[in-house]
Amino acid sequence: MKALSQKRRHPMAALALLVMALLLTGGLYAVATTTNEAKAETTTYSAQDIEEGQKLFQSNCSTCHGMKAQGTSSGPSLIGVGASSVDFQVGTGRMPMQMQGPQAQVKPKQFNEEQTDQLAAYVASLGAGPTVPDAKDVDIADGNSANGAKIFLANCAMCHNAAGQGGALTRGKYAPSLMGVSEKHIYEAMQTGPQNMPVFNDANITPDEKRDVITYLKTLDNNTTVGGFSLGSLGPVSEGLFIWTIGLVVVIGFTVWLTSRAA
Amino acid sequence: MSTSTDFEYRPTTRTGRIANYVDTRVGGSSIVKEFGRKIFPDHWTFMFGEVALYSFVILLLSGTFLALWYDPTMTSMEYKGNYVPMQGVEMSGAYASTLNISFDIRGGLFLRQLHHWSALLFAMAVAVHMLRVFFTGAFRRPRELNWVVGCVLFILAIVAGFSGYSLPDDVLSGNGLRIADAIAKSVPVVGTYISMFMFGGEFPGHAIIGRLYIVHVLIIPALILMMIVIHLFMVVVHKHTQFAGPGRTENNVVGYPVGPVYAAKAGGFFFIVFGILAAIAGSTTINAIWNYGPYDPSPVQAGSQPDWYMGFSDGGLRLMPGSWPFSWEINLFGLAIPLAILLPLIPMAGMFGAMFAWPWIERWVTRDNRVHNILDRPRNAPFRTAVGAAGVTFYAVQMIAASGDLIATHFHVAVNDVIYWLRALYFVGPILAFIIARRFCLALQRKDREIVLHGRESGRIQALPHGEFVEVHEPLDEYRRYKLVDFQDHQVQPARANAKGKITAGEKVRGRLSHLFFEDRVSPVTPAELEAAHGHHEPEPVAVGAGSHASQIEK
Amino acid sequence: MGDHRDGNPHKSGAVVTSDGAELDQFPDPGLPPHRPRMTDVDSKAAKRAEHQVVLLFLLSVIGSVIFFVAYFGIRVDGPLYDAVNTEPTAQLRLQNLLLGLGIALGMFGIGIGVVHWARTLMPDHEIVEQRHDLRPESERAEAQSILNTIYDESGVKRRPLLRNTLIGAAVLMPLPFVGLLKDLGPTDLKVLRHSMWDEGVRLVRDPSGTPIKASDVTLGSAFHVIPENLTSLGHEEGYLNEKAKSVVLLMRLDPDKVNVSEGRKDWNVDGIFAYSKVCTHVGCPIALYEQHTHHLLCPCHQSTFDLTNECEVIFGPASRPLPQLPITVDSDGYLVARSDFHEPVGPTYSQRDFAVKDMQDEAN
């Protein structure tokens, strides 16, 4: 400890402290932003599913959406939103919402796959709506990533960023990152337009095109970034920040060494 | 020339023979005589100009390689290269060749990243070097003109960067050009024509990439090179500045000779800068243009920003409210004037103007027209440091505003709130920075005084016989002490009447500025004060300064 | 050039230095004594430093070798960024990394080695060099007299006509070169007015070019739209120029929630609205549509437009609402334009208000 307290006056002490602080915040940030994945299989629903779903719904969702999913002042009607919407909202942990806010956040799932299916079955029974896509719809082996890139850049990149990293919307809302999101959930999001996202129905982006978009996103997701560290794929801001922090510190380190007297 | 009649020089060594051969044909002895043992002072803050110079050299090298494969054409073609998500897509030759450099030329990706990272480092090094020169007062007589050359270089660096950033013809840089087009069009009357001339007609046209290319690879580099030559020539003429210290006076330079020490260090540093950039370029992605796609006026991406050196202009545009409290588009004699674009440009232009003129502004306020070869420590010129801090803050607020949307997503706040706060900071920030920086400097100066008067804290606690504990202070040796006391402080220069006995309006302004800058100041310790401090155990507070609020130095 | 640092009693007089500084200055103690380095006194340390430098130079050689190993040794076999086969992308990344690290090591070896050499083995005695006056006064006077002689001998002073005609000619001479720049671009601003939208032009999806039925546009959806006649335009015929003016965003809103002004009652189809995607601020595409708040947001400068109020600006730097494209349905049920925009799209230019007036006259 004594040695340490003596060295605190060393000219490099501030620098060392800064580097340590940067590493610490970077590390914490990396830990804090690890995403969790969710996956579920689609099935057809039995009457029992619907019944179970209704029970789950009434005990977990009715506070906001009403006993018959007719909607209240604090939550929209779910009649006609379809199984796809439920599978997305509940399957990604967005619903049930923790609290009212600008938009529902992704968080650990509250229900397992079976319960999610039951909820979806119940809501689907209330009115016709988009169904959960089956595995064939989202099989990237059949997709065309070049076409997907075109559609993604024209329809999605303005909110979700060209590399699918997400971006800001008005007044605290945001478009989330698409990295690490399952194929099915991407498909469902396009189909149902969760939160403030516009709906991209099959007339706008056909099912084949949706699969192409997913293929492109999975291409970005599966492949490493060729250039090295991606810096979050956020573009010039993170690059500028990099050169002004790490770049500058390294350069200063060398200049200090270079101009100091050898012992 | 060495071949004089009355003295025959006979080289005795091999080096001597080579030198003689060269000198008798092209001359050169005088250059060696002038530079061979020229003295350069050593301080880590003096190295940023070199960083800038070296990154420029690396830019020239990597840029030459890129030019071998880059094709500055906007003619459309179908991409057939190695990058799957763009295969079959219609794109300009410029974009296709940039993809080829990245994915089909071996090592091309490295060269592209090296070039772009060097550009960021170049602009940063220029900026940091300028800040160093500003905060240490190195721009003062006789170096005012070199400061101006440096300012021109900073602007050239920005233009070089922007023109290069646009060359890949991707969506991100295309939207940048679209903004440049709109800014050109916002200029009253002639702006529309300027835009039409720039783009060869309507935006985006087929001309702009070729034109930017010639600007980027010929005109701007040539200008930069010319300015660098002038800049370095003046450095040689003026000799380098140095910090105050024992043995260092206004009339000498203390340091290491060019040959061998300085040449070795500076030469080695080139390789080090290259090494740093190569390591970054190999390991860290920059400008992944394949993500953005070929330029098309329809798409855009979240987080559309320019490179950092253009950030301040983008941020200025973001901060200006366009329709609050009323529409900022006015009609003057039938001409539409978009004030929402023009107004934020005016303070920016003002800041750059003040930057160019600062040596003369400072001279006017301080009435100090002497030659200065000794640098100020920033704390010893509180007024200048405070002005610089205000300027940096003004710049930084706008630069931060350019990343408002990313701040919003990463810190989970509303982008609108970020903008509201930054709008307030745009006005308040520089004032706060001025006050805080000045107080900081004055406090540090007082700390220096205290160290000179009472020595350094040793960290050793001693118990006195009567039970009191005191920390032992070690007195400074004379060299360290001289470092802390060898500076000049400026006093308020009140407005004075001119020869006709009148105080002009300009003089009044000067007097007021002088007051603002120098009313609080801390003088260097004098031997008498040191004597007094040693004489008494507990010296009385000493009043210093002649200003209205002479600062109190307290034990 | 008097200055107190020289110990010269004459002061420049430009500034009053601190109170009585003259009497009360610490004397300059001169350069501190030279402190020898380890390598100066210990020949072993010097030898060690020499070895370190040699080692660093050898590291540089290794760096160059790494470069060539990476350049020739790593194969990128296959297309990059394939959805399934991710191996080539990883190979390219590795190659890029090793190329960079190889060169970096090569550079660092030389750079750090040379600097280490300079720091430890070259003399580190500080040397004092005197500055001299930039230009002695005698030289300045001499130069001035030379200039005067040149001036006199040239006759510029005595023959003013000669001088003035030369000035006149020299001022005019560069103008042809300025004039040559005239054809950098056309000067007819009319091109900025019209887009390819016209009566009966179908709205088609960007980029696929398929037409859109009114029934396709369900509540909450957003279509990125271009005019159908644009799709047949080649790149060389100004495809991007026309696209830059004609991109449109198509959305369906609940008609009850929208305020429509008197003149625009028939510009929408049952709550399907079409607005120019080009921001009125500096021209970025406004493509961020929030289906519940009905806000359109520009990702470049965060201008926010309220769809329910004919795209009036509610936040950000834009000053004008987005131009609306009047639309209707044709006999096949496809959405078509009723006319072109009634004003030039995109950012303001000085002559814009004249264009607006003409275009509105045309439309009515």
Side-chain angles (χ1 to χ4, degrees):
Chain A
M1 254 356 251
K2 183 151 177 277
L4 195 66
S5 73
Q6 268 170 359
K7 283 201 176 106
R8 81 196 151 95
R9 285 186 196 285
H10 193 271
M12 299 300 271
L15 193 71
L17 209 62
L18 188 70
V19 170
M20 266 154 60
L22 281 172
L23 287 176
L24 190 68
T25 36
L28 285 177
Y29 184 80
V31 171
T33 52
T34 348
T35 48
N36 52 340
E37 278 192 51
K39 261 200 164 139
E41 274 303 303
T42 54
T43 39
T44 44
Y45 308 115
S46 65
Q48 199 202 342
D49 283 342
I50 295 171
E51 198 179 314
E52 285 297 317
Q54 184 170 20
K55 281 186 204 150
L56 279 171
F57 185 89
Q58 284 170 349
S59 52
N60 290 291
C61 321
S62 56
T63 327
C64 300
H65 292 290
M67 284 305 279
K68 295 194 160 61
Q70 76 278 24
T72 70
S73 56
S74 41
S77 158
L78 299 183
I79 296 165
V81 299
S84 169
S85 193
V86 177
D87 191 59
F88 176 84
Q89 300 281 4
V90 179
T92 60
R94 284 179 168 79
M95 290 290 156
M97 255 172 116
Q98 217 155 32
M99 54 181 170
Q100 291 290 342
Q103 77 185 47
Q105 316 267 349
V106 178
K107 56 182 182 297
K109 288 190 290 182
Q110 306 273 308
F111 299 103
N112 61 26
E113 278 166 36
E114 194 190 352
Q115 291 167 320
T116 308
D117 284 344
Q118 289 164 346
L119 276 169
Y122 169 65
V123 171
S125 73
L126 299 173
T131 53
V132 177
D134 53 37
K136 196 162 64 32
D137 292 330
V138 294
D139 185 3
I140 60 168
D142 299 335
N144 175 347
S145 68
N147 192 40
K150 252 195 235 179
I151 293 160
F152 180 82
L153 291 174
N155 291 284
C156 321
M158 67 289 266
C159 297
H160 289 284
N161 155 309
Q165 300 293 331
L169 298 173
T170 68
R171 308 209 178 267
K173 298 185 283 293
Y174 62 92
S177 165
L178 303 177
M179 294 298 104
V181 181
S182 74
E183 289 89 338
K184 188 180 69 164
H185 287 146
I186 298 172
Y187 192 101
E188 289 167 350
M190 286 191 271
Q191 218 179 6
T192 61
Q195 324 284 342
N196 264 298
M197 176 168 162
V199 178
F200 294 96
N201 59 31
D202 288 350
N204 192 354
I205 297 181
T206 63
D208 279 355
E209 289 173 335
K210 285 194 175 83
R211 190 183 52 209
D212 292 346
V213 169
I214 292 166
T215 307
Y216 176 60
L217 283 170
K218 286 294 141 192
T219 301
L220 293 182
D221 221 350
N222 296 344
N223 279 280
T224 158
T225 44
V226 272
F229 299 123
S230 68
L231 300 180
S233 295
L234 295 172
V237 169
S238 51
E239 293 154 10
L241 201 61
F242 181 87
I243 202 77
W244 272 99
T245 50
I246 295 175
L248 188 60
V249 165
V250 171
V251 169
I252 288 180
F254 273 109
T255 60
V256 170
W257 170 71
L258 192 96
T259 53
S260 65
R261 275 187 95 248
Chain B
M1 302 289 134
S2 64
T3 48
S4 58
T5 45
D6 52 345
F7 171 68
E8 185 75 16
Y9 166 66
R10 291 193 178 283
T12 47
T13 61
R14 196 158 66 149
T15 321
R17 276 194 295 278
I18 295 171
N20 200 40
Y21 180 90
V22 174
D23 196 42
T24 48
R25 279 153 187 85
V26 293
S29 290
S30 55
I31 298 177
V32 172
K33 235 180 84 198
E34 169 73 27
F35 290 102
R37 295 291 278 180
K38 200 175 169 57
I39 300 300
F40 277 90
D42 227 6
H43 193 269
W44 66 271
T45 58
F46 296 168
M47 305 301 289
F48 291 106
E50 278 174 46
V51 178
L53 178 67
Y54 298 154
S55 8
F56 181 68
V57 172
I58 297 165
L59 280 168
L60 290 182
L61 283 172
S62 54
T64 307
F65 274 98
L66 292 178
L68 298 175
W69 295 290
Y70 173 72
D71 178 12
T73 175
M74 294 177 90
T75 310
S76 182
M77 56 172 71
E78 194 188 313
Y79 178 68
K80 292 197 177 72
N82 217 4
Y83 179 66
V84 176
M86 286 292 153
Q87 279 167 359
V89 173
E90 279 278 301
M91 58 180 66
S92 70
Y95 187 76
S97 62
T98 314
L99 285 183
N100 280 339
I101 291 172
S102 306
F103 294 122
D104 297 73
I105 310 291
R106 213 183 294 182
L109 181 62
F110 172 73
L111 285 167
R112 258 198 69 224
Q113 301 203 132
L114 179 67
H115 192 70
H116 205 139
W117 279 120
S118 306
L120 293 197
L121 185 70
F122 175 57
M124 180 183 81
V126 171
V128 175
H129 177 56
M130 283 182 84
L131 291 174
R132 196 281 293 175
V133 167
F134 180 88
F135 283 112
T136 58
F139 54 82
R140 290 174 297 175
R141 189 178 171 187
R143 298 181 177 79
E144 302 100 319
L145 293 178
N146 220 10
W147 166 258
V148 171
V149 172
C151 292
V152 172
L153 273 168
F154 182 54
I155 289 172
L156 286 173
I158 293 175
V159 179
F162 184 77
S163 56
Y165 166 85
S166 303
L167 289 182
D169 201 20
D170 56 306
V171 166
L172 184 63
S173 72
N175 279 316
L177 280 176
R178 175 118 222 191
I179 295 166
D181 166 58
I183 292 174
K185 279 179 176 155
S186 72
V187 177
V189 188
V190 292
T192 324
Y193 298 99
I194 295 175
S195 151
M196 301 278 270
F197 282 176
M198 259 165 45
F199 292 91
E202 277 183 279
F203 173 86
H206 290 105
I208 187 70
I209 293 294
R211 287 176 186 175
L212 283 176
Y213 183 63
I214 204 71
V215 166
H216 184 74
V217 305
L218 180 72
I219 299 174
I220 297 290
L223 287 176
I224 291 180
L225 213 52
M226 203 170 79
M227 287 292 155
I228 288 178
V229 168
I230 297 173
H231 202 67
L232 293 182
F233 175 75
M234 287 211 250
V235 169
V236 170
V237 167
H238 294 140
K239 292 200 170 76
H240 208 286
T241 51
Q242 58 190 353
F243 277 104
R248 285 147 171 88
T249 73
E250 289 284 5
N251 291 337
N252 68 11
V253 194
V254 180
Y256 299 104
V258 163
V261 179
Y262 193 78
K265 283 189 175 181
F269 193 44
F270 169 76
F271 290 94
I272 290 174
V273 171
F274 208 142
I276 294 171
L277 281 170
I280 295 177
S283 64
T284 315
T285 310
I286 188 164
N287 201 21
I289 50 120
W290 48 91
N291 283 339
Y292 306 137
Y295 183 66
D296 180 318
S298 176
V300 66
Q301 67 142 343
S304 283
Q305 272 102 359
D307 274 347
W308 78 261
Y309 43 81
M310 287 297 288
F312 70 100
S313 59
D314 194 58
L317 287 177
R318 288 182 185 215
L319 286 179
M320 175 77 198
S323 307
W324 182 86
F326 44 78
S327 170
W328 286 91
E329 178 160 329
I330 57 166
N331 188 306
L332 217 61
F333 311 114
L335 297 173
I337 314 282
L339 287 177
I341 302 173
L342 290 169
L343 275 188
L345 295 179
I346 294 169
M348 275 179 228
M351 195 186 76
F352 273 86
M355 185 176 87
F356 272 91
W358 181 258
W360 290 275
I361 296 174
E362 185 178 315
R363 197 176 71 176
W364 174 64
V365 175
T366 58
R367 290 172 174 261
D368 179 355
N369 195 23
R370 289 169 304 169
V371 168
H372 290 280
N373 291 318
I374 295 277
L375 296 172
D376 282 328
R377 292 171 83 203
R379 68 183 63 172
N380 289 337
F383 71 101
R384 186 196 299 131
T385 305
V387 169
V392 168
T393 307
F394 181 70
Y395 183 91
V397 165
Q398 297 181 64
M399 205 162 97
I400 291 167
S403 50
D405 48 340
L406 292 174
I407 293 173
T409 46
H410 281 246
F411 296 98
H412 302 288
V413 286
V415 64
N416 306 58
D417 294 336
V418 175
I419 297 293
Y420 292 140
W421 276 103
L422 289 171
R423 278 178 187 166
L425 271 181
Y426 182 84
F427 295 102
V428 184
I431 299 171
L432 281 180
F434 183 91
I435 296 170
I436 293 170
R438 195 169 57 152
R439 287 289 139 206
F440 239 93
C441 290
L442 291 170
L444 284 170
Q445 278 187 298
R446 284 182 198 154
K447 179 77 185 160
D448 281 354
R449 274 186 72 95
E450 204 181 288
I451 290 173
V452 172
L453 289 173
H454 306 291
R456 227 172 253 287
E457 293 170 17
S458 65
R460 275 182 293 131
I461 308 291
Q462 216 172 37
L464 298 182
H466 57 272
E468 184 188 346
F469 284 89
V470 291
E471 187 180 5
V472 177
H473 285 226
E474 284 168 354
L476 296 180
D477 64 35
E478 57 177 343
Y479 302 109
R480 279 168 196 270
R481 184 204 304 140
Y482 189 71
K483 243 184 168 162
L484 296 181
V485 297
D486 184 31
F487 69 94
Q488 300 154 301
D489 59 331
H490 286 287
Q491 289 190 334
V492 177
Q493 297 275 312
R496 260 189 261 159
N498 62 9
K500 286 182 194 151
K502 260 186 72 175
I503 299 179
T504 59
E507 179 64 14
K508 270 187 202 157
V509 172
R510 196 202 60 72
R512 244 175 259 145
L513 280 175
S514 180
H515 217 269
L516 171 69
F517 287 168
F518 303 118
E519 59 181 3
D520 295 318
R521 64 193 189 85
V522 175
S523 295
V525 176
T526 61
E529 283 171 328
L530 183 63
E531 192 62 35
H534 282 217
H536 310 280
H537 181 66
E538 207 103 30
E540 294 297 306
V542 188
V544 209
S548 51
H549 308 278
S551 35
Q552 299 285 309
I553 307 301
E554 286 152 14
K555 163 68 186 61
Chain C
M1 218 167 288
D3 193 281
H4 75 289
R5 283 176 209 279
D6 327 344
N8 184 339
H10 297 290
K11 300 177 41 140
S12 69
V15 150
V16 184
T17 42
S18 66
D19 342 297
E22 234 166 313
L23 298 169
D24 271 331
Q25 279 241 316
F26 283 93
D28 183 347
L31 283 182
H34 180 249
R35 199 161 34 87
R37 296 164 296 185
M38 282 294 280
T39 44
D40 293 331
V41 290
D42 182 0
S43 64
K44 264 192 210 149
K47 202 76 204 159
R48 201 157 53 231
E50 194 182 332
H51 287 157
Q52 284 163 347
V53 174
V54 170
L55 199 70
L56 282 162
F57 289 163
L58 290 178
L59 270 181
S60 167
V61 174
I62 294 174
S64 302
V65 172
I66 290 178
F67 174 89
F68 282 108
V69 168
Y71 191 89
F72 292 110
I74 297 178
R75 296 233 152 265
V76 180
D77 45 1
L80 294 156
Y81 280 93
D82 188 84
V84 185
N85 179 15
T86 60
E87 195 55 28
T89 316
Q91 285 161 337
L92 182 57
R93 178 177 164 134
L94 180 67
Q95 185 178 53
N96 186 59
L97 178 70
L98 290 179
L99 293 181
L101 291 186
I103 291 181
L105 194 60
M107 294 289 172
F108 277 140
I110 295 178
I112 296 176
V114 168
V115 172
H116 191 51
W117 178 359
R119 283 177 83 241
T120 53
L121 297 171
M122 291 182 192
D124 77 331
H125 287 272
E126 287 185 312
I127 298 180
V128 180
E129 187 183 28
Q130 292 304 311
R131 293 176 196 270
H132 27 80
D133 265 359
L134 273 187
R135 295 285 164 255
E137 303 230 325
S138 60
E139 213 170 89
R140 212 175 301 161
E142 214 174 300
Q144 201 172 351
S145 82
I146 290 175
L147 285 176
N148 282 337
T149 313
I150 294 172
Y151 189 55
D152 284 344
E153 287 184 1
S154 69
V156 170
K157 205 176 187 177
R158 277 170 293 135
R159 304 182 213 279
L161 189 62
L162 211 64
R163 182 190 63 198
N164 293 347
T165 44
L166 175 63
I167 292 174
V171 166
L172 207 58
M173 191 49 234
L175 286 184
F177 295 95
V178 178
L180 283 175
L181 293 175
K182 200 229 125 205
D183 274 354
L184 271 176
T187 49
D188 182 8
L189 304 185
K190 288 227 165 55
V191 288
L192 297 174
R193 295 188 178 182
H194 284 286
S195 68
M196 292 191 78
W197 291 110
D198 207 349
E199 191 176 348
V201 174
R202 272 186 185 167
L203 283 75
V204 298
R205 289 168 47 211
D206 175 29
S208 69
T210 47
I212 303 160
K213 281 204 157 124
S215 55
D216 294 343
V217 189
T218 50
L219 207 63
S221 56
F223 285 66
H224 296 264
V225 166
I226 50 176
E228 187 168 35
N229 49 7
L230 179 70
T231 54
S232 54
L233 200 67
H235 268 262
E236 303 315 308
E237 300 157 328
Y239 173 83
L240 289 181
N241 290 7
E242 289 305 330
K243 190 169 183 182
K245 288 183 292 186
S246 57
V247 283
V248 154
L249 197 61
L250 190 73
M251 297 139 295
R252 187 194 279 266
L253 283 74
D254 183 350
D256 298 336
K257 288 185 182 161
V258 189
N259 300 320
V260 178
S261 62
E262 207 42 56
R264 298 191 180 182
K265 287 278 184 231
D266 54 357
W267 284 19
N268 70 78
V269 178
D270 298 335
I272 303 177
F273 289 84
Y275 280 96
S276 165
K277 233 170 99 172
V278 189
C279 186
T280 56
H281 176 224
V282 286
C284 277
I286 311 271
L288 283 68
Y289 170 54
E290 297 179 358
Q291 66 142 319
H292 290 301
T293 57
H294 309 298
H295 291 166
L296 285 173
L297 174 72
C298 169
C300 293
H301 303 100
Q302 283 77 42
S303 292
T304 312
F305 300 85
D306 184 4
L307 258 179
T308 57
N309 269 321
E310 300 190 334
C311 278
E312 95 182 332
V313 186
I314 52 171
F315 183 79
S319 297
R320 282 186 286 111
L322 296 171
Q324 187 180 357
L325 182 73
I327 53 169
T328 184
V329 277
D330 67 6
S331 49
D332 299 327
Y334 288 109
L335 292 168
V336 294
R338 292 179 78 93
S339 72
D340 195 359
F341 293 105
H342 288 200
E343 56 184 311
V345 297
T348 304
Y349 56 98
S350 280
Q351 297 79 358
R352 182 179 183 277
D353 286 356
F354 300 112
V356 174
K357 198 165 167 299
D358 290 351
M359 287 169 78
Q360 270 162 5
D361 290 347
E362 262 171 63
N364 298 330

